[in-house]
Amino acid sequence: MSARSAEPEDRGDGVTVVLTKAGRTKIRYPARRLRDDGARITVRAPWAAPGARDFGFVRFEPGDVFTEHYWRDRWFAVKEVRDAGGGLKGWYCDVTRPCVVGDGELRVEDLDLDLWVSADGRRVLRLDEDEFAASGLDARDPAAATAAVAALDELERIARTQGLATLLG
């Protein structure tokens, strides 16, 4: 047990991940809690959407496994994506409000901005900046909009300099 954690590490128990967007539940899915140090909670879950989804730069499909890292004090989540054989596809990063964990759920609000980093780290793509601009968050909650853009910038900087694996170690 970490000095900062109210819960032991490597629990392996279940939690439901609830991703909301614009006040509505976008998706909810079961995951296995791997560890929780009080600041970051890590869970593992299979690809939760029905069928495959091809983004052009990566294809998520049944059999893929996501190891997802959420922070209570950071404005992003980092998801390591592996294929059914264990091969690393890359990292999909969501810019979110800090997560809230309780009552068997891990709740997080998606703020539209995303970052994709290929397995070799050579391809770093900022995604959905048009959706973010259209969301009106900057008018509704300027502080959250500023935090979201800063989080995307931080993720990109880490990905291009040290690599995301250093953030997750």
Side-chain angles (χ1 to χ4, degrees):
M1 185 189 262
S2 163
R4 295 179 40 186
S5 176
E7 302 184 47
E9 293 188 4
D10 299 319
R11 291 180 54 130
D13 60 346
V15 64
T16 299
V17 177
V18 181
L19 180 65
T20 62
K21 188 172 180 175
R24 295 184 13 229
T25 298
K26 183 175 172 183
I27 192 169
R28 60 186 305 125
Y29 53 91
R32 185 169 58 95
R33 185 185 324 224
L34 300 179
R35 69 184 44 89
D36 184 347
D37 68 7
R40 182 178 80 191
I41 181 169
T42 302
V43 302
R44 182 167 293 137
W47 169 241
R53 184 156 179 212
D54 191 338
F55 291 91
F57 51 87
V58 67
R59 179 180 167 91
F60 296 155
E61 53 201 338
D64 287 351
V65 176
F66 288 65
T67 301
E68 304 175 357
H69 305 269
Y70 297 92
W71 283 264
R72 291 176 176 93
D73 59 354
R74 292 188 176 197
W75 286 69
F76 54 75
V78 177
K79 301 170 182 181
E80 179 187 275
V81 185
R82 293 186 176 272
D83 63 27
L88 180 63
K89 288 186 173 187
W91 294 270
Y92 195 91
C93 307
D94 287 318
V95 172
T96 66
R97 290 184 189 269
C99 75
V100 176
V101 180
D103 297 326
E105 292 185 338
L106 185 159
R107 300 187 64 81
V108 65
E109 181 183 352
D110 185 347
L111 298 177
D112 292 310
L113 295 171
D114 301 300
L115 189 79
W116 170 254
V117 181
S118 62
D120 64 8
R122 291 184 186 158
R123 192 162 191 200
V124 178
L125 303 173
R126 291 173 73 109
L127 307 170
D128 303 328
E129 290 178 297
D130 55 339
E131 287 180 32
F132 178 75
S135 75
L137 184 64
D138 58 340
R140 275 190 333 274
D141 190 343
T146 298
V149 171
L152 182 63
D153 291 343
E154 179 184 3
L155 283 167
E156 182 179 18
R157 179 189 55 74
I158 293 168
R160 292 188 185 281
T161 58
Q162 307 153 250
L164 289 177
T166 61
L167 180 64
L168 308 176

